[in-house]
Amino acid sequence: GGKSVGMLIARAVLRNKSSRWKELLEAHDSFFIGSDVFFTYLVQNECWGVRRKQRLKATVLDEAEETRVKMLQGAFPKYIQDQFGEMLNYFGQTPIIVRSSSLMEDNYGNSFSGKYESVFCANQGSPQARLESFLNAVRRVYASTMSKEALMYRAQKGLLDQDEQMAILVQ
């Protein structure tokens, strides 16, 4: 997504500007969760069909609230949960923020400011408690793509025919 691309470009600019940055920047101070995980989540939790129906302004909100709730309660495949657990192990018990990052929200001419969620995680407690908190944060970011505000903004901007490819930036 846009935030992720911005972070990668900023890192590259700093490293090219001075060798000092190569020593200061950690290899993985942020993690990026690609939109492929979002699409997997939609399909696994039977939300894909509703997303495909939201191409018309007149019906964009049909089933949106029910689907948003379904996304808040959805399940992740074990292999994805395992990868999230590895990332959390890397961070330890350092607080993190789970941020939406889509190409659409950061595209020129669009300002999705406040439409999609960013979720702060204290990232404290047992590994299982930290993972569950993180999973809930990711669910909230994903579900925010189905909010009335986000969907109406997409309709207003003529973006209903484009897939919202939601990625996540974890900092």
Side-chain angles (χ1 to χ4, degrees):
K3 288 180 186 76
S4 299
V5 170
M7 292 290 293
L8 292 172
I9 290 172
R11 177 183 293 275
V13 167
L14 289 172
R15 285 184 171 169
N16 287 334
K17 188 77 171 167
S18 168
S19 61
R20 173 178 159 253
W21 289 106
K22 292 177 184 176
E23 298 167 15
L24 295 175
L25 294 174
E26 293 181 29
H28 297 287
D29 57 350
S30 295
F31 283 81
F32 309 101
I33 301 170
S35 59
D36 59 320
V37 176
F38 176 62
F39 289 129
T40 298
Y41 187 79
L42 291 176
V43 171
Q44 177 163 330
N45 293 286
E46 300 178 359
C47 300
W48 180 253
V50 171
R51 299 264 315 174
R52 301 302 302 156
K53 294 178 190 174
Q54 293 178 319
R55 303 270 180 183
L56 302 173
K57 195 171 187 176
T59 59
V60 69
L61 295 178
D62 291 359
E63 300 179 62
E65 181 57 22
E66 296 88 348
T67 303
R68 189 185 72 75
V69 170
K70 195 183 239 187
M71 291 173 76
L72 287 169
Q73 299 168 348
F76 290 90
K78 181 168 180 356
Y79 74 94
I80 290 175
Q81 289 187 45
D82 290 346
Q83 290 175 5
F84 289 168
E86 288 176 26
M87 179 204 59
L88 291 173
N89 285 339
Y90 170 82
F91 280 124
Q93 292 196 41
T94 301
I96 57 176
I97 189 160
V98 179
R99 302 181 68 194
S100 65
S101 182
S102 78
L103 292 177
M104 193 179 294
E105 79 177 299
D106 295 321
N107 200 2
Y108 293 107
N110 303 326
S111 174
F112 278 76
S113 178
K115 306 294 189 275
Y116 298 137
E117 287 200 47
S118 290
V119 181
F120 174 79
C121 292
N123 198 26
Q124 301 293 300
S126 70
Q128 187 57 39
R130 293 178 16 242
L131 177 61
E132 193 53 46
S133 176
F134 180 77
L135 293 173
N136 285 331
V138 173
R139 287 181 188 109
R140 283 180 53 189
V141 171
Y142 287 171
S144 69
T145 65
M146 297 300 287
S147 73
K148 180 179 179 180
E149 295 78 15
L151 291 170
M152 294 310 297
Y153 186 79
R154 288 182 64 203
Q156 178 187 44
K157 291 292 189 173
L159 302 172
L160 292 177
D161 61 336
Q162 298 179 30
D163 279 330
E164 178 55 289
Q165 298 181 25
M166 183 58 71
I168 289 181
L169 174 60
V170 182
Q171 297 178 302

